[in-house]
């Protein structure tokens, strides 16, 4: 008797005896899971302990994986739903819809069973799963489908009614109709996770794609009517709750399809739902505004990001901008993962050299895009210090327009940089002809693209690295491949050469590339095999780390003093959905304000056979491993209390602080040291500075100081006394050129300049510390 058959007997035969453990259940295949779920669903509350335990385990697998149903298993699921109507006083129709969607053979005749389920639900008035109800009703015949549709149409609003009519149409396939049930989780506690390609399949239904355009257009028309006074204004009542859900679905379909009509439509819709037609600080539909942003988080476009940022500056409600800021962080992080649209930038009127000129009387406004966008004013060919008074008086609208343009371009360039950086783990490759024209030659994108190192396949298998800012592009066919260069694919000597060139040419990259950290598997990680402790056992400022999770595209539940709130795992999906990294963390023991967390293991999973399967670290692609561990290093390095100079005299955590503040350098700190090695000889204080292992040593007139390159904390010679310097805000190293943005490197340099001239220090607290042992 095979293992799946044994599980079936445990759940259905009270007399069956077998030694099966809860943790053995994940061994079953997806098809065996589909065969077992009907039995697991019917395990009663009064069944024996073994049946209840195994039934719970099988249902748990069903919540995490993608079961596959044979024709017979699909029928048995519907029989199980009907059999449980009385005992459970209802049926989870999402189970039925999910069985239809995942049926691997011809659909069985389910008409009688479906009719029983729909009749029961309609009589009870249970409308919590409208899509699942329609999907099941469609299996029972036209009459039952029409009756269910009529019941669902009550008080839902015309846009929602239009969707129901579309889904109830005879030209919609029963499986397509069931797809929409995958989007609703309310009322279903055991249904499987949505299909990985769910929205792509929904967007491929012609009738639903046409509905999406119609629904969003109707939303604009209604918002216009409210602002025109044709419909009475009521705060947040422009659309019914059901219409908000439906419009969110329509937006996802249009965003995924990247419909050409969508940007202009959203430019009209978003301001009208975010601003009241009166001077009130309320919104016509705060719910729809947030739902459209959530749709953008699923399928972002650069045009939507720009539109939301524009609305964010205009909305009058006090709390909405703050909420939009939080949502925009996640949206922009998601856009970085959708490279096929994120690399698209509008021309915005700029000339080929990245300059836009606008006349304002006898003055000229010049917007220049280099590392970012900058607005300057000129008169008679000479630059002016600020905006001329006459321009402010007579051309105020133009001034505001150009300032908004500068902000918008800055956002677009930042988004482009994040999208390019996000392409590392998917090994993004572009056609050379398109890349040369649309990126390297684009008036705006060129400022980002030309400061990055690229590899061009000049011949099959022969890649040539090039930095456009430092030289001409090679000759290659338009269909040749182009990809971003990454140090993990290069020899150390090549990496050193690129780093030297950046310093020599004073080229500041939009993100760390040549100086990018590389994380390779360590002997300790080979020993632990499926997890890494490289960044475990650190104490971190939890709220800061939680904010970094969101900004870097990781998902995590907030820790706190509630059930299950003491520990969690931050998760990020990489490599176009093929790999997942999990970073475990928990509230630190002995802390009462829930401000500190303790870090733990890092694990990886691969998406295989419709589910996430934990994978050995050795199986993780080098690029994926390095980029994931780089994020974790960032989380720990930035938020560790070891980097807090004011922590030295606080509480029982001091032992960790003393140990970690001057510990061996991590890969990110090693990259910082490498940059310092190249920067120091060019500094005015070069003769007072040297590198000694993990420290930058600075010789002052009163003392010699050792600045830790990881934490930026300082020890003073000769007695290794700690020197506490808490800057009012992060400071750069004056006019020192840095090849990449790094707040910690800037802080180290600012401390070095300060301490090299220690006799000129005027801060009393710092002077007292220095003079105490000098």
């Amino acid at each position: 008797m095979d293992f799946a058959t044994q599980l079936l007997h445990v759940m259905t035969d009270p007399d069956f005896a077998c030694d099966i453990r809860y943790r053995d259940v994940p061994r079953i295949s997806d098809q065996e899971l589909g065969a077992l779920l009907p039995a697991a669903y019917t395990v009663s509350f009064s069944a024996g302990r073994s049946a209840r335990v195994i039934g719970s385990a099988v249902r748990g697998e069903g919540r995490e994986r993608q079961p596959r149903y044979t024709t017979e298993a699909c029928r048995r699921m519907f029989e199980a739903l009907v059999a449980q109507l009385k005992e459970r006083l209802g049926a989870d129709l999402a189970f039925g819809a999910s069985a239809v969607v995942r049926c691997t053979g011809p659909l069985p005749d389910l008409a009688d069973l479906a009719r029983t389920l729909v009749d029961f639900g309609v009589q009870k008035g249970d409308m919590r799963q409208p899509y699942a109800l329609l999907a099941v009703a469609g299996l029972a015949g036209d009459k039952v489908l029409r009756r269910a549709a009529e019941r669902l149409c009550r008080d839902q609003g015309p846009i929602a009614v239009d969707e129901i009519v579309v889904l109830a149409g005879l030209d919609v396939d029963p499986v397509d109709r069931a797809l929409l049930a995958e989007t609703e989780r309310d009322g279903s506690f055991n249904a499987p996770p949505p299909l990985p390609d769910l929205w792509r399949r929904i967007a491929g239904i012609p009738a639903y794609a046409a509905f999406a355009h119609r629904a969003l257009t109707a939303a604009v028309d209604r918002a216009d009517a409210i602002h025109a006074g044709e419909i009475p204004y009521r705060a947040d009542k422009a659309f019914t709750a059901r219409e908000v859900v439906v419009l969110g679905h329509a937006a996802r379909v249009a965003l995924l399809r990247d419909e050409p009509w969508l940007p202009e439509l959203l430019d009209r819709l978003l301001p009208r739902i975010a601003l009241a037609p009166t001077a009130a600080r309320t919104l016509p539909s705060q719910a729809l505004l947030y739902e459209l942003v959530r749709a953008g988080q699923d399928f972002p476009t650069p045009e939507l990001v720009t539109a939301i940022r524009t609305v964010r500056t205009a909305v009058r409600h006090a709390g909405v901008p703050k909420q939009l800021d939080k949502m925009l962080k996640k949206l922009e992080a998601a856009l970085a993962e959708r490279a096929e649209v994120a690399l698209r930038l509008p021309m915005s009127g700029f000339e080929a050299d990245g300059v836009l000129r606008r006349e304002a009387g006898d003055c000229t406004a010049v917007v220049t895009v280099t590392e970012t966008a900058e607005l300057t004013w000129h008169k008679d060919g000479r630059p002016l210090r600020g905006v001329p008074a006459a321009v402010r008086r007579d051309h105020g609208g133009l001034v505001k327009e150009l300032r908004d343009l500068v902000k918008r371009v800055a956002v677009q360039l930042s988004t482009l940089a994040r999208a390019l950086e996000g392409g590392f783990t998917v090994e993004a490759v572009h056609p050379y002809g398109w890349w040369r024209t649309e990126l390297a030659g684009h008036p705006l994108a060129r400022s980002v693209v030309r400061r990055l190192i690229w590899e061009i396949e000049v011949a099959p298998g022969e890649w040539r690295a090039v930095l456009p800012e430092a030289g001409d592009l090679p000759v290659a066919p338009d269909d040749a491949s182009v990809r971003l260069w990454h140090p993990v694919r290069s020899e150390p000597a090549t990496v050193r050469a690129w780093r030297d060139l950046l310093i020599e040419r004073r080229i500041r990259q939009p993100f760390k590339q040549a100086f990018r950290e590389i994380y390779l598997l360590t002997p300790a990680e080979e020993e632990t095999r499926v997890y890494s402790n490289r960044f475990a056992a650190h104490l971190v400022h939890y709220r800061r780390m939680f904010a970094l999770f969101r900004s870097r595209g990781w998902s995590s539940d907030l820790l706190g003093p509630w059930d299950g709130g003491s520990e969690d795992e931050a998760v990020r999906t990489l490599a176009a959905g093929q790999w997942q990294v999990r970073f475990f963390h928990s509230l630190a023991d002995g802390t009462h304000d829930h401000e500190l967390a303790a870090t733990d293991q890092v694990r990886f999973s691969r998406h295989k056979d419709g589910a996430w399967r934990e994978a050995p670290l050795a199986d993780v692609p080098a690029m994926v491993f390095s980029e994931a561990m780089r994020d974790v290093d960032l989380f720990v390095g930035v938020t560790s209390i070891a980097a807090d100079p004011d922590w030295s005299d606080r509480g029982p955590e001091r032992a960790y602080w003393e140990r970690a503040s001057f510990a061996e350098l991590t890969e990110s700190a090693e990259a910082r040291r490498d940059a310092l090695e190249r920067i120091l000889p060019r500094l005015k204080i070069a003769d007072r500075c040297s590198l000694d292992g993990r420290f930058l040593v600075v010789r002052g007139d009163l003392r010699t100081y050792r600045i830790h390159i990881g934490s930026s904390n300082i020890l003073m010679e000769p007695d290794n006394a700690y020197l506490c310097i808490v800057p009012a805000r992060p400071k750069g190293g004056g006019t020192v050129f840095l090849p990449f943005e790094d707040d910690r490197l800037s802080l180290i340099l600012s401390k070095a300049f300060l301490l090299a001239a220690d006799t000129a220090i005027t801060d009393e607290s710092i002077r007292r510390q220095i003079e105490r042992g000098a």
Side-chain angles (χ1 to χ4, degrees):
M1 184 183 299
D2 62 43
F3 181 63
T5 303
Q6 293 180 56
L7 291 176
L8 181 62
H9 280 294
V10 170
M11 292 186 289
T12 58
D13 184 356
D15 298 324
F16 183 78
C18 184
D19 183 20
I20 295 178
R21 294 169 296 180
Y22 187 100
R23 63 175 178 267
D24 292 332
V25 173
R27 290 166 41 192
I28 57 178
S29 68
D30 290 344
Q31 184 156 315
E32 289 171 334
L33 177 59
L36 291 170
L37 276 171
Y41 184 80
T42 57
V43 172
S44 69
F45 303 119
S46 59
R49 182 179 181 279
S50 295
R52 286 185 283 109
V53 167
I54 297 304
S56 176
V58 171
R59 291 194 300 272
E61 288 296 301
R63 287 192 296 269
E64 300 295 329
R65 291 166 53 181
Q66 297 291 345
R68 300 171 63 200
Y69 293 86
T70 63
T71 300
E72 179 56 29
C74 183
R75 174 189 294 280
R76 284 193 284 107
M77 175 53 76
F78 274 77
E79 290 173 344
L81 292 173
V82 171
Q84 289 295 299
L85 283 178
K86 290 184 179 180
E87 180 175 343
R88 298 177 184 266
L89 301 179
D92 189 345
L93 297 185
F95 261 127
S98 69
V100 169
V101 169
R102 292 167 179 78
C103 186
T104 58
L107 283 179
D109 181 3
L110 301 168
D112 292 340
L113 296 167
R115 186 179 302 109
T116 301
L117 291 169
V118 172
D119 288 345
F120 190 93
V122 171
Q123 289 171 8
K124 281 190 63 181
D126 186 356
M127 301 291 112
R128 289 176 299 169
Q129 299 172 300
Y131 294 126
L133 181 64
L134 276 178
V136 174
L139 301 170
D142 296 344
K143 184 178 179 180
V144 176
L145 178 59
R146 284 195 301 271
R147 184 155 54 88
E150 290 171 1
R151 177 62 182 84
L152 288 171
C153 285
R154 296 178 189 174
D155 304 320
Q156 298 298 307
I159 295 174
V161 169
D162 188 9
E163 184 196 42
I164 293 170
V165 170
V166 169
L167 294 177
L170 298 179
D171 56 341
V172 176
D173 183 271
V175 175
D176 288 344
R177 189 180 289 119
L179 285 173
L180 270 296
E182 298 278 297
T183 68
E184 56 189 2
R185 300 287 96 186
D186 289 347
S188 180
F189 303 102
N190 294 301
L195 294 166
D197 61 346
L198 173 64
W199 284 106
R200 195 167 300 280
R201 290 177 64 175
I202 293 174
I205 304 173
Y208 202 85
F211 160 74
H213 190 184
R214 195 164 62 248
L216 291 168
T217 302
V220 173
D221 292 341
R222 190 182 304 177
D224 281 343
I226 291 173
H227 279 262
E230 298 168 6
I231 297 176
Y233 174 66
R234 292 189 300 158
D236 211 24
K237 299 295 183 182
F239 303 91
T240 68
R242 187 65 203 164
E243 285 181 319
V244 169
V245 172
V246 170
L247 286 168
H249 292 168
R252 285 172 175 83
V253 166
L255 288 165
L256 175 57
R257 291 170 63 94
D258 201 18
E259 296 284 12
W261 46 263
L262 185 61
E264 181 182 357
L265 189 148
L266 290 177
D267 283 343
R268 294 175 57 198
L269 177 60
L270 288 170
R272 285 164 174 78
I273 62 174
L275 288 169
T278 65
R281 296 181 178 273
T282 53
L283 287 74
S285 184
Q286 186 175 153
L288 181 57
L289 175 63
Y290 290 157
E291 179 61 20
L292 292 177
V293 180
R294 283 190 288 269
Q297 291 172 343
D298 291 337
F299 304 107
T301 66
E303 295 84 1
L304 178 60
V305 172
T306 300
I308 294 170
R309 286 206 169 274
T310 301
V311 166
R312 182 247 178 269
T313 62
V315 68
R316 295 189 289 264
H317 188 289
V320 171
K322 184 177 181 180
Q323 182 63 25
L324 287 179
D325 287 342
K326 292 179 181 178
M327 300 177 79
L328 275 165
K329 287 182 180 180
K330 185 174 180 180
L331 196 156
E332 289 177 340
L335 181 58
E337 301 289 336
R338 199 184 180 198
E340 71 273 18
V341 298
L343 304 186
R344 180 176 64 222
L345 286 182
M347 302 288 281
S348 300
F350 284 84
E351 299 170 13
D353 58 354
V355 177
L356 178 144
R357 296 175 177 85
R358 297 284 295 274
E359 301 299 324
D362 57 356
C363 296
T364 303
V366 180
V367 180
T368 307
V369 179
T370 51
E371 291 187 10
T372 187
E374 182 180 6
L375 171 62
T376 56
W377 294 88
H378 297 249
K379 185 175 181 180
D380 300 329
R382 299 191 309 274
L384 304 175
R385 293 196 174 196
V387 184
V391 172
R392 284 199 302 268
R393 182 186 65 242
D394 301 331
H395 302 277
L398 176 62
V399 174
K400 182 179 185 304
E401 175 190 339
L402 292 176
R403 285 175 174 168
D404 289 344
L405 175 64
V406 167
K407 293 177 183 177
R408 189 165 65 248
V409 169
V411 170
Q412 290 169 341
L413 295 180
S414 174
T415 301
L416 173 63
R418 291 193 64 170
L420 291 171
E421 188 177 18
F424 273 137
T425 64
V426 297
E427 302 277 0
V429 174
H430 315 286
Y432 181 57
W434 175 87
W435 174 88
R436 186 180 57 229
T437 303
E438 299 299 325
L439 289 182
H442 190 283
L444 303 183
R446 67 196 302 273
S447 67
V448 173
V449 172
R450 294 184 65 83
R451 290 180 287 130
L452 293 169
I453 306 165
W454 297 84
E455 288 184 308
I456 302 169
E457 194 174 26
V458 294
E462 180 184 345
W463 294 87
R464 180 178 302 172
V466 59
L467 177 65
E469 191 74 9
D472 296 330
L473 298 177
V475 176
D478 284 352
D479 60 353
S481 295
V482 183
R483 68 186 183 189
L484 268 176
W485 175 89
H486 193 289
V488 80
R489 289 194 295 254
S490 295
E491 297 295 325
T494 303
V495 176
R496 287 194 295 270
W498 281 120
R499 292 178 175 181
D500 289 339
L501 180 63
L502 289 180
I503 298 294
E504 179 185 338
R505 299 289 185 93
R506 297 178 64 86
I507 297 173
R508 180 181 173 89
Q509 294 196 290
F511 55 81
K512 257 191 200 180
Q513 187 190 26
F515 284 88
R516 201 171 189 84
E517 307 85 350
I518 301 174
Y519 299 80
L520 304 175
L521 207 62
T522 65
E525 288 163 341
E526 292 175 354
E527 183 71 22
T528 55
R529 206 175 73 81
V530 295
Y531 65 89
S532 168
N533 274 330
R534 190 185 308 202
F535 299 107
H538 287 274
L539 290 175
V540 298
H541 291 286
Y542 173 63
R543 292 284 180 163
R544 297 179 197 172
M545 187 170 73
F546 185 75
L548 276 178
F549 289 159
R550 298 302 174 90
S551 68
R552 296 292 298 176
W554 292 61
S555 60
S556 176
D557 291 334
L558 186 68
L559 301 183
W562 44 76
D563 289 344
S566 62
E567 60 185 16
D568 194 39
E569 55 191 68
V571 180
R572 185 184 177 191
T573 302
L574 301 164
Q578 294 305 303
W579 285 91
Q580 191 178 78
V581 56
R582 292 172 293 149
F583 175 36
F584 294 81
H585 56 281
S586 60
L587 291 177
D589 292 336
T591 59
H592 304 291
D593 55 4
H594 309 294
E595 286 299 317
L596 292 186
T599 63
D600 208 330
Q601 300 175 357
V602 175
R603 292 175 178 261
F604 288 82
S605 298
R606 175 192 288 147
H607 197 261
K608 185 178 180 182
D609 298 329
W612 290 108
R613 312 287 188 185
E614 189 165 82
L617 301 181
D619 292 352
V620 182
M623 183 82 75
V624 173
F625 183 83
S626 185
E627 288 298 299
M629 297 299 275
R630 181 177 184 269
D631 267 5
V632 179
D633 192 354
L634 170 72
F635 300 150
V636 174
V638 171
T639 66
S640 169
I641 65 171
D644 185 344
D646 201 28
W647 194 273
S648 59
D649 59 350
R650 291 175 56 187
E653 295 81 19
R654 179 171 179 172
Y656 164 79
W657 184 92
E658 291 177 341
R659 181 178 73 252
S661 289
F662 304 101
E664 292 294 332
L665 301 183
T666 64
E667 284 82 351
S668 62
E670 287 286 1
R672 193 176 299 129
R673 188 188 192 283
D674 200 3
L676 276 170
E677 190 173 6
R678 291 166 167 80
I679 293 170
L680 287 179
R682 302 168 184 266
L683 301 181
K684 293 180 180 179
I685 59 172
D687 61 332
R688 288 179 173 266
C689 297
S690 63
L691 290 171
D692 181 13
R694 68 193 84 161
F695 294 94
L696 168 61
V697 181
V698 181
R699 180 175 54 81
D701 292 319
L702 300 176
R703 277 195 168 200
T704 296
Y705 310 90
R706 298 170 64 82
I707 308 174
H708 190 261
I709 299 170
S711 66
S712 81
N713 289 332
I714 307 166
L715 297 175
M716 297 183 288
E717 294 183 352
D719 56 353
N720 276 345
Y722 173 67
L723 173 60
C724 178
I725 298 179
V726 183
R729 59 181 179 274
K731 298 179 181 178
T735 57
V736 176
F737 164 75
L738 300 180
F740 54 86
E741 184 178 351
D742 186 329
D743 290 341
R744 190 69 54 82
L745 178 56
S746 297
L747 179 60
I748 289 170
L749 287 171
S750 71
K751 289 182 177 181
F753 274 94
L754 176 72
L755 296 172
D758 54 3
T759 56
I761 294 174
T762 58
D763 186 288
E764 283 300 321
S765 67
I766 298 176
R767 287 188 64 85
R768 280 198 301 270
Q769 293 178 77
I770 293 173
E771 292 169 353
R772 187 175 299 133

